[in-house]
Amino acid sequence: MTSTKTELRIDYVEFNVADIERSKAFYGKAFGWRFTDYGPNYCEFDDGRLKGGFTNLEAPRPGGPLVILYADDLEAALRSVEDAGGKIVRPIFGFPGGSRFHFADPDGYELAVWTKA
């Protein structure tokens, strides 16, 4: 078996959303993500390191694995999420090696943001 830098690594994350434009507005405002539209039912996002997509072909399915973003300034990231309309579902808390908070996006997906201790 040959191995590459991308072999067996998370490569893409896809969200079923109710409103693609609303999701673009939220993630663009909260985190500065960029977007490429592929018709009315699909939009790719790019955070500068990882790509994923928003689709409205199925109903939102909150739950599943927890997607965690990194921020140098956790307090600023929390304010950015709130300013973009996200709901903080677990305020900043510490854990061995760092701190994080959890939030819900407009479709109810729970994500987290962490920083090193």
Side-chain angles (χ1 to χ4, degrees):
M1 180 162 116
T2 62
S3 180
T4 66
K5 290 170 101 175
T6 58
E7 179 70 13
L8 304 177
R9 306 249 165 96
I10 294 174
D11 185 59
Y12 206 80
V13 177
E14 190 170 88
F15 296 91
N16 292 312
V17 300
D19 183 327
I20 291 173
E21 292 303 315
R22 180 182 70 181
S23 295
K24 287 168 52 177
F26 174 76
Y27 286 98
K29 182 175 181 180
F31 302 113
W33 292 1
R34 296 175 307 280
F35 307 95
T36 303
D37 292 316
Y38 292 100
N41 302 111
Y42 203 88
C43 173
E44 182 176 76
F45 63 78
D46 183 345
D47 72 358
R49 186 179 65 153
L50 181 72
K51 292 184 179 186
F54 299 132
T55 182
N56 59 10
L57 293 174
E58 295 182 33
R61 293 188 311 253
L66 181 64
V67 175
I68 303 172
L69 295 83
Y70 181 83
D72 288 326
D73 184 338
L74 200 59
E75 292 283 346
L78 186 139
R79 286 190 304 275
S80 184
V81 166
E82 289 178 320
D83 290 347
K87 179 183 174 190
I88 305 304
V89 297
R90 190 164 179 197
I92 294 173
F93 64 95
F95 62 91
S99 299
R100 75 183 195 197
F101 68 89
H102 293 210
F103 69 92
D105 78 356
D107 286 291
Y109 286 103
E110 185 173 329
L111 291 88
V113 182
W114 85 283
T115 195
K116 294 178 182 174

